[in-house]
Amino acid sequence: MIAILIGLLFIFLDVNIGGIHYTPHWIGYALVLLGLARQAESPERNSALAVSAASILAGGALWAAALFGYGMAFPLPEILQLFLTYRLLVWCEAQEAMGESYLISRFRMTWYALAAARVAATVLGVFMPPQGWVWSAVAFVAGLVYTYTFYRLSTMVER
């Protein structure tokens, strides 16, 4: 589970200096894939594996294109982030060992907050950039809370 946690940090942290992304999301997706591959077989895990594999390819292509100065107006990185984090949420909800219902409901609420903040940051970033920056900071904090809640769930499972 530690690989998934580190992968989530790579997904949520954005260190971009001089147009070069130093924490590429595709590495985070790869770590999530490795962490999920070590878990027990289930349909939810398999769908999360498929989403993380597709995210590795798309995120790697976007990162390589950005190295050469190309970009994309379509918010594909945000969509990949939300889709993978949702699949992780569904996988956690399906785990019988994760019987901590209050943590599962809190995990779902943190995903809702993350999704709302990420959508607000993306939309407002196009029309009103200063408000988009504020919502980007809110989305970052929501991502950290999501990661922390996943950590709490994983420690409950490992007991």
Side-chain angles (χ1 to χ4, degrees), residues 4-99:
I4 297 174
L5 287 169
I6 295 171
L8 286 173
L9 289 176
F10 263 87
I11 292 169
F12 291 126
L13 291 176
D14 246 350
V15 179
N16 194 354
I17 301 171
I20 297 173
H21 198 132
Y22 290 100
T23 56
H25 297 286
W26 64 269
I27 292 176
Y29 298 135
L31 289 170
V32 169
L33 180 92
L34 290 174
L36 283 171
R38 296 179 187 146
Q39 302 304 315
E41 184 80 23
S42 72
E44 293 82 10
R45 183 200 77 133
N46 292 341
S47 64
L49 282 171
V51 169
S52 56
S55 297
I56 291 168
L57 295 174
L62 289 172
W63 182 74
L67 285 178
F68 294 107
Y70 297 104
M72 175 185 278
F74 187 73
L76 185 61
E78 289 81 6
I79 292 170
L80 293 174
Q81 180 187 80
L82 288 178
F83 196 46
L84 180 67
T85 54
Y86 179 74
R87 293 312 310 168
L88 280 175
L89 169 68
V90 170
W91 173 69
C92 286
E93 287 178 338
Q95 300 299 308
E96 297 296 327
M98 292 187 180

Side-chain angles (χ1 to χ4, degrees), residues 82-129:
L82 288 178
F83 196 46
L84 180 67
T85 54
Y86 179 74
R87 293 312 310 168
L88 280 175
L89 169 68
V90 170
W91 173 69
C92 286
E93 287 178 338
Q95 300 299 308
E96 297 296 327
M98 292 187 180
E100 303 294 329
S101 63
Y102 76 95
L103 269 178
I104 290 290
S105 63
R106 180 177 289 171
F107 194 45
R108 180 167 279 281
M109 292 306 292
T110 60
W111 186 83
Y112 288 150
L114 172 66
R118 179 57 46 207
V119 168
T122 302
V123 172
L124 290 174
V126 171
F127 298 110
M128 295 178 254

